[in-house]
Structure formats: C-alpha cells, structure tokens
Amino acid sequence: MPQLAAFALLTLILFLGDVAATRTRSRLPSIFVCAVLFLLGYWTFFPEDIVQVAGFGTPVVYLSMYLLITNMGTLLSVQELRRQWRTVVIALLGIAGIAAMLFTVGRLFLDFETIVVVTPPLTGGVVSSLIMSEAAANAGLESLAVLAILIYVMQGFVGYPLTSWMLQREGRRVLALHRAGRWNGPAEVAQAKPAAPESGPAMFRSLPAEYDTVYFKLFRLGIVAFLAWGAAQLVSPYFQISPFVLCLVAGVVASSVGFLERQPLQQANSFGFVIMVLMLFILGGLNRATPDMLLDLAGPMFGAIFVGIAGMYVFSFIAGRLLGSTPEMAFSCSLTALYGFPADYVITNEVVNALSDDPEERGILSAHMLPPMLVAGFVTVTIVSVLLAGIFAGLL
C-alpha cells in the first residue's frame, strides 16, 4: 500500500470517528468508533504495518509521546495537583478494587497466573501490557502473553462508552445546578486556556513577540522533555523511573516557573498533528487481535475486564462517598485506568462539547471534569500500572 494511501485511509477513519461522536453527541466516543474500524480493517485488507507504512514509525511516535506528555503537564499547576488529592485517592482505590475483585471473585473462573497477568494491563496502558506479556512469555505461558496484549487492546471497548456515559450524567447534573443558580464550583480552567501574547511565560515576557515563534516554543518544549528523559537515564543504574512520568512532572514545573506557556503545542499549531500520531500508534496495536485469538481468549479476557471494572466501581463509589465526590465523577476518574491520556482528554472534551453550545457552560463543565480526569489518568496509567507490572511480573 502506498504511503499516501495509507495516510489518507487512517485519517479518514479518525474523521469518521469524529463524525460519529458529533452525530451521536458523544454517546459513541470517537476513539471507540475508530477502534472498531481499525479492527475491521485489520481483519480484512489492512496490512499489519499500515501505521508504519503511513510514516508513523517508532522514532516519531516516541518523539510525539515525549512532547505530548510534557505538554500535558502544562495543563496542571502544582496548586492544581494539591487541590486534586481526592482524585488521586479515588483513582488509587479504583485500582485497588480491580485487584481485590480479581483475586477473590476472579479466582472462581480464572487461575492464579491468568489473574497475575491481566491485572496490571487493566490498570494502565501499553507499557504495563508489554511488561506482563514479556514476563508471561519468559515463563512459558504463551497464551497468557497474548492475553496481556488483548486486555490492553480490548478494555477500551468497555471503558470508552462507559466513561462517556458517566461524564454525561455528571455534566447534566452540573448544568442543572448552574442553570438553577446553585452551582458553586469553578467557572473555568484557567491553566487550560492559551496564554495571551502579552502574558506569555514569565521568563520571556521581555522578548519581542516577533521572536516568540513556533520554533522557539517547540525548542523550549523539547528542552524540557529532553531534561526529563536525561534525568531518567541518569538514575537508571540505581532505580528505574519512567521518562514519561518525569516528562509530565517537568511540564508542570516548567509552566509553573514560567519557562513554558500553558499548552505550548496548541500555541505552536502542532497539537493536532502530534495527537494524531499518538492516536494512530495506540489504534495500531489492534493488529495483534486476530479473530482466532479473540475466540480462544474471549472468556478469560472479557471475564477479567468485567470483574475488574465491577471491583473498580464498588471501591470508587465508596471512595467518592467518603471524599465528597459523586459516584459518576468518581467512577469516571477510576475508569481512566483503562485508557489514560489522550483518551481521557478527548472523551471529556467530546462530552463537554456535546452537552452545551454555550461557551460559559462549556467552561464550567471543563473546569469541573477535565482537571480530575487528567490527574486520574496520570496517576493510574503513567505511574501505578508500571509499578504494579514490575511487582506482578515477579510472581510468574
């Protein structure tokens, strides 16, 4: 398949996902629709390496991930992270619910090795899935090595629409309170708004505007990401820490001290392209999910997913009640463990745009739902899932 044909086909699928989300007012999230189309494509005429053929190989994917996660850090200030401590607790208890339910109810129909392999991927993204897949393969458990990947590939099919539904319920509640004049929450996400030219990063406010070009913004973003990556390499002989974790933290710090503006990728008109690269990389993982594999592993795969999500709901419901969060918002935050960033960002914005056309109301919805969703996705996928995978891999 020619490169440009592959690129056009993949971007068409992303466009169709947006159309479906718009037409159904996000009842069908774009990511879910795209995943279905990718799966059908791989089962029919897609080459297995269509994402690479389109030009999105490993180097550009990892570059995009470093830049995007650093950019994600600029959405959150240190003060915001402190304010969201309840979200962190809820997300952690949601993950605890997955493990608790799998190691109790799950033992009725799944063996110990299967539960060990599927738990970390259910709490996070591709890194934990790859760790557990490799650990299972090294232990001679070939079918479980495939199951670890399939769990990662398929859990979003449950997580995407369920999160959208929960957020819509929460959003309607917030709008009803606002329209009745009884909403006391924040009215906007100040840090998610592009900075005005006259109020750019504090360190560069004296720089003439004509010199604050797209390339200068990308240069500073690249420097921050490089320093985060370098820090991870420096400490690697002593202990392992994900460079992606450090990129997000570095983005928070760099924007807080005035080295980076809020959302530099958006201001450099590069966000759309970078997020497209990452989305195609994630969806490209569906090339492993053949019909035969799905049939052989359907029982343990869907059983683990539904039992784990049931445990997540119970624990997040209790945590939400104790910490003053609604069940819908608490469950939505916990559900970010099934997909992480950028899906949490995309789904939340789709719901906000679907619930209201009024800019003020959209600002209120974003201020209420976006920060906790981003923090929860950071905690579950970026940190906890990798730590769990490292521990659980030693149990096989």
Side-chain angles (χ1 to χ4, degrees):
M1 179 178 290
Q3 179 184 18
L4 291 177
F7 175 81
L9 185 57
L10 295 180
T11 50
L12 173 63
I13 289 177
L14 296 179
F15 169 69
L16 292 176
D18 285 342
V19 170
T22 301
R23 295 286 294 178
T24 62
R25 300 186 70 84
S26 81
R27 289 182 178 85
L28 275 178
S30 64
I31 300 173
F32 176 75
V33 174
C34 290
V36 172
L37 294 176
F38 261 77
L39 194 58
L40 293 175
Y42 281 125
W43 288 358
T44 52
F45 67 95
F46 277 14
E48 286 190 5
D49 60 346
I50 187 172
V51 174
Q52 288 73 30
V53 170
F56 305 112
T58 300
V60 70
V61 166
Y62 274 87
L63 173 63
S64 298
M65 289 176 69
Y66 287 127
L67 295 180
L68 195 60
I69 292 176
T70 306
N71 183 80
M72 173 185 165
T74 68
L75 285 167
L76 301 167
S77 64
V78 175
Q79 293 78 10
E80 183 64 40
L81 290 174
R82 290 173 181 167
R83 284 196 297 269
Q84 293 294 336
W85 69 269
R86 292 180 178 84
T87 298
V88 174
V89 174
I90 290 171
L92 291 176
L93 287 177
I95 288 176
I98 293 176
M101 192 68 79
L102 283 174
F103 278 95
T104 53
V105 176
R107 288 301 303 273
L108 298 176
F109 61 94
L110 297 174
D111 57 42
F112 178 77
E113 289 82 4
T114 300
I115 294 174
V116 169
V117 169
V118 302
T119 300
L122 264 178
T123 66
V126 65
V127 176
S128 57
S129 300
L130 292 175
I131 291 173
M132 295 312 302
S133 180
E134 183 178 359
N138 292 338
L141 306 170
E142 292 297 333
S143 62
L144 294 185
V146 174
L147 180 60
I149 298 297
L150 288 179
I151 287 286
Y152 164 68
V153 168
M154 297 301 295
Q155 64 192 12
F157 282 72
V158 178
Y160 299 150
L162 192 54
T163 304
S164 179
W165 183 48
M166 289 290 108
L167 287 177
Q168 286 185 58
R169 287 169 59 90
E170 177 69 7
R172 292 190 190 99
R173 182 188 72 85
V174 171
L175 286 179
L177 290 173
H178 168 67
R179 290 165 181 171
R182 295 187 288 116
W183 176 246
N184 296 319
E188 61 179 10
V189 185
Q191 58 267 41
K193 289 187 174 183
E198 64 274 14
S199 59
M203 291 186 182
F204 303 101
R205 282 180 184 163
S206 60
L207 184 72
E210 58 267 25
Y211 294 113
D212 190 17
T213 66
V214 166
Y215 301 120
F216 187 56
K217 296 179 192 296
L218 292 176
F219 163 72
R220 286 183 282 114
L221 183 65
I223 285 292
V224 174
F226 168 68
L227 291 175
W229 173 86
Q233 301 305 308
L234 282 175
V235 302
S236 60
Y238 310 103
F239 61 91
Q240 294 292 324
I241 184 168
S242 170
F244 298 123
V245 173
L246 293 184
C247 280
L248 189 139
V249 173
V252 174
V253 174
S255 61
S256 298
V257 302
F259 185 77
L260 287 180
E261 54 273 277
R262 305 297 180 183
Q263 299 191 97
L265 279 179
Q266 282 87 332
Q267 294 198 42
N269 300 315
S270 306
F271 181 78
F273 181 80
V274 171
I275 202 169
M276 177 192 68
V277 173
L278 187 54
M279 293 299 297
L280 291 177
F281 168 69
I282 294 170
L283 293 167
L286 290 170
N287 65 354
R288 300 182 180 92
T290 65
D292 290 339
M293 286 182 182
L294 291 181
L295 287 175
D296 293 340
L297 298 172
M301 177 175 61
F302 288 109
I305 290 174
F306 286 112
V307 169
I309 290 177
M312 175 190 290
Y313 177 76
V314 172
F315 275 57
S316 60
F317 178 89
I318 295 172
R321 287 296 190 191
L322 293 175
L323 296 174
S325 177
T326 63
E328 291 82 5
M329 196 68 236
F331 191 31
S332 296
C333 289
S334 295
L335 282 168
T336 60
L338 302 182
Y339 42 78
F341 186 83
D344 52 0
Y345 183 92
V346 172
I347 293 173
T348 305
N349 276 287
E350 283 182 352
V351 170
V352 168
N353 293 333
L355 289 176
S356 176
D357 295 324
D358 180 77
E360 181 185 358
E361 292 183 344
R362 285 183 174 181
I364 290 171
L365 291 173
S366 294
H368 176 65
M369 297 192 295
L370 189 56
M373 289 293 287
L374 290 175
V375 171
F378 162 56
V379 171
T380 56
V381 174
T382 312
I383 297 179
V384 179
S385 68
V386 178
L387 294 176
L388 273 183
I391 296 170
F392 278 44
L395 299 178
L396 293 176

